Structures are given as C-alpha cells and as structure tokens.
Amino acid sequence: MSVLRVIQWATGGVGTEMVTTILDHRPDLQLVGARVYSDAKRGVDVGTLVGRQPIGVEATTDVEEILALDADCVLYAPQFTDIDDVCRLLESGKNVATPSFLFHPRRIAEHDRDRLLAACQKGGATVHGSGLNPGNLSGVLPLALSGMSRTIEKLTLQERADWSLWESTEITFDGMWFGRPVEDITATGNDFLAFNSGLFTEQTWFLADALNAGIDEVTVSVEAVPATRDHQIFDHLVQAGTTAGQRWSWAGRRAGEPLVEIETLWTVGGDYPPHWPTPRDGWTMTIEGEPSMQTHFFCLASFSRPASIEEHVRSALVAVALQVVNAVPAVCAAPPGFATMADLPLIRSYTGFGN
C-alpha cells in the first residue's frame, strides 16, 4: 500500500478531527508534522494533542520547520488564511487540501490567483478547497443532482442554524459579531465578515460558472436582527437589543434576476424572527427546472442512538474535516495547479463500513 506523508496545519476543531481520522482510520496516510499557533501546544506530541497515544511527532509554531519537512500534502485548516504561507507550501512541492478558502480560484482576486498558480507551477503542486458549506453542500451536491436535470431555472441553498452551542466563541463573537449593535453587521463590518462573505460570493460564482448560468454579478445582502431578551452563550452575554440573528444572501444575477442563491439564517439564543423563511434546521437545496428537485441535509452524531449535544455539534466538524481528508489521494494525484470540486473525481469514504 502506498502511504502519503501528511502535515496538519492548525489543530483546532476541524484540525483535531483530521488528525484523529488519520491516526485511527487511515493507514494510507502518515502524519509527519503539525503547525500550531499557541505556545501551549508547541513541542507537544500530536497524538497527545488529540487525546491519543504519542506518535513521535511534535507540533511546532515554526513555519520554517514545516517547510523543511518531506511531505506529500498539507491539511491547511486555520481560522484565518495567509496566502503567503500557502504559496510557500506549494513552492516547496507540497500539495495543499483546505477547508479554509479557495473554493473557486477563477473568481478570487487576480493577484492572489496568479501568485498561487505560479507557486503551484514552481513546486509542481496542487491546491484544493472544499468543506461543508461552502464546500460539499454548495458545490459537490448541486453538481451531482444536476446530472438528473434537463434544464435549470433557479438553484437555492438555505442554511438554518443556531450558533448557541458552537464552542468556538471567538468566531461567533469576535468574528461574526453576534452581541454587537445590529448596524455594525455589514458585508465589510470587519475583516472576518468580509472574508466570510467573500467565500460565499466565490461559491455562488462556482455554481453559476459550473452550470452555465451566465450571471453578471453576485450581490450580497445582510439583515441583522436584535435579541428580544438577554442570552448567556458560554462566557458571553448577548444583551437584549444587540445582534442575535443574521440573514445573509448571496445572489448570482443575470439581468437582475437571481438564478443562484445561497442564503444563511443564523441565530443565537433561540431568537428567530417571525418574518424570516422557516426551512428546517440544516441545509435545504432546491432546484427549479425540469425536473424540479429538493433535498434536505442535516448532520448529527446519530439518528438512532442517544448522543450528547457535544457529540451532535462535533459531527459537523467531522463532516468538514472528512470531505478534505478523503480528497487527499485525489489531490496528490492531480496535475499541478488548481483542483476544484468540479475537477476532482467523486470523493468518497476511505473507511466505509471498516470491513
């Protein structure tokens, strides 16, 4: 069996699921390094970091140490991306698979696209971006269902989620600005909101380009709604009157008509505005056309056995991580350059039933 050497870049929620998958289920992947961001993790065995036996690989905060390693692929999973780091990884000959960005390279800033492509060519490496949403649900799944279509008139994906149980409060509050004044919530309100909105804009273009929508533009709108009462979310207090809901829409339009739309209905504390749409929790995709189709996706720890809230919340992290980990062999086998969700072959489970 051919074994691919893998580096884990960032060991947060998603990164931890990537590492445990490799250690527990992937004999075809060998973990040879890990980049971390905190001094508390520096020098700690990667196995120990994820609650497993030591494997003889120590985590490092030193990017130069990572670049010097011999590896086939880097699982790049930080909260905030750094184009310089990714370019250096690619130039060093390491393929990169990431849930953090680059879902549709054709529509990113030209300067960044040119730099990344030049790095791929210099290192003979490939870069691939995927995940959940943006990712599989707004990329792979729509394209798969489109195989049953004669014509498509409109495609929409709605995500409804309450963030109250999401332990990464730095994203919920420092990034998404829940608990801030509603007038602060805009597509460019802070760096994180702008970056996140850019990812969904990119994903809307991806669907439009892949399905020949011929759109002219992607418009972005956001409506922030106030909390009706105080909500305690972990160590943060969302006060009544501050932001407890955000309704975002990214619409790919042709001559003003929306043909491709991704809508997110995000709340904390259980406040849900009565004037918002009321899809089921999770993700609902609708294709109007010939034929018209609708599918609903919901991710849990189990639908048949009792499970804790923590297990249910973690299941989404597993889904994000595995969409990328399972793509590693295909990314390493792809020609140098960009490999999008439309380019790679079907990504499926390596382990399956485990037999």
Side-chain angles (χ1 to χ4, degrees):
M1 177 179 61
S2 176
V3 176
L4 297 171
R5 296 166 59 85
V6 175
I7 294 169
Q8 180 63 50
W9 187 295
T11 57
V14 172
T16 294
E17 299 304 333
M18 290 175 164
V19 172
T20 55
T21 297
I22 293 171
L23 298 185
D24 294 350
H25 302 288
R26 297 300 297 263
D28 63 321
L29 303 179
Q30 179 188 3
L31 196 63
V32 298
R35 155 71 155 115
V36 293
Y37 287 82
S38 71
D39 289 337
K41 292 182 178 181
R42 183 179 57 190
V44 179
D45 191 281
V46 181
T48 303
L49 282 178
V50 300
R52 299 296 188 271
Q53 293 296 316
I55 63 170
V57 176
E58 291 185 355
T60 180
T61 56
D62 189 341
V63 174
E64 299 303 324
E65 290 183 19
I66 294 296
L67 291 169
L69 291 173
D70 177 22
D72 297 290
C73 190
V74 178
L75 293 169
Y76 183 79
Q79 291 182 6
F80 300 97
T81 62
D82 188 317
I83 298 292
D84 290 338
D85 285 338
V86 176
C87 285
R88 294 185 72 192
L89 290 170
L90 294 167
E91 288 171 353
S92 72
K94 299 173 181 62
N95 300 296
V96 174
T98 176
S100 301
F101 82 125
L102 210 63
F103 303 104
H104 191 29
R106 175 180 165 187
R107 296 293 180 173
I108 66 173
E110 183 177 1
H111 174 66
D112 289 337
R113 184 175 64 248
D114 290 347
R115 289 178 59 204
L116 286 163
L117 188 57
C120 288
Q121 293 169 341
K122 180 178 179 179
T126 302
V127 58
H128 167 70
S130 188
L132 190 59
N133 185 36
N136 186 303
L137 299 181
S138 49
V140 179
L141 183 60
L143 295 187
L145 292 182
S146 75
M148 296 183 285
S149 294
R150 176 177 288 151
T151 58
I152 297 175
E153 298 167 8
K154 186 175 183 181
L155 187 154
T156 60
L157 177 70
Q158 288 180 306
E159 174 182 328
R160 178 177 175 178
D162 189 284
W163 292 41
S164 301
L165 299 173
W166 191 254
E167 292 184 353
S168 297
T169 54
E170 66 273 15
I171 294 179
T172 310
F173 295 96
D174 299 337
M176 292 302 299
W177 272 3
F178 282 100
R180 293 283 294 255
V182 293
E183 59 269 20
D184 290 354
I185 311 303
T186 69
T188 56
N190 64 27
D191 289 344
F192 184 89
L193 290 170
F195 176 76
N196 196 57
S197 181
L199 294 183
F200 281 98
T201 297
E202 188 181 325
Q203 192 71 0
T204 305
W205 274 110
F206 172 83
L207 286 174
D209 288 341
L211 295 173
N212 304 314
I215 62 172
D216 309 310
E217 60 177 348
V218 174
T219 60
V220 183
S221 65
V222 57
E223 176 197 7
V225 293
T228 59
R229 57 185 176 84
D230 290 353
H231 299 291
Q232 188 68 45
I233 311 295
F234 294 101
D235 58 342
H236 290 261
L237 177 66
V238 177
Q239 296 181 326
T242 64
T243 299
Q246 299 182 28
R247 179 184 180 183
W248 291 78
S249 172
W250 296 269
R253 300 175 183 273
R254 185 175 66 204
E257 180 184 0
L259 302 184
V260 178
E261 183 176 11
I262 300 176
E263 181 178 50
T264 58
L265 305 155
W266 291 330
T267 57
V268 294
D271 269 336
Y272 198 85
H275 66 283
W276 280 12
T278 55
R280 289 183 289 169
D281 287 344
W283 296 264
T284 303
M285 189 177 68
T286 304
I287 297 177
E288 288 291 341
E290 188 179 9
S292 295
M293 295 175 273
Q294 187 173 83
T295 184
H296 179 258
F297 177 88
F298 196 57
C299 190
L300 288 177
S302 177
F303 291 95
S304 59
R305 65 167 176 82
S308 66
I309 293 297
E310 290 76 17
E311 287 180 282
H312 289 313
V313 171
R314 189 172 67 86
S315 66
L317 299 177
V318 175
V320 174
L322 268 293
Q323 180 66 34
V324 177
V325 172
N326 285 330
V328 167
V331 173
C332 291
F338 300 129
T340 72
M341 289 173 277
D343 299 323
L344 292 184
L346 176 67
I347 303 303
R348 59 184 178 85
S349 172
Y350 173 90
T351 309
F353 289 93
N355 185 8

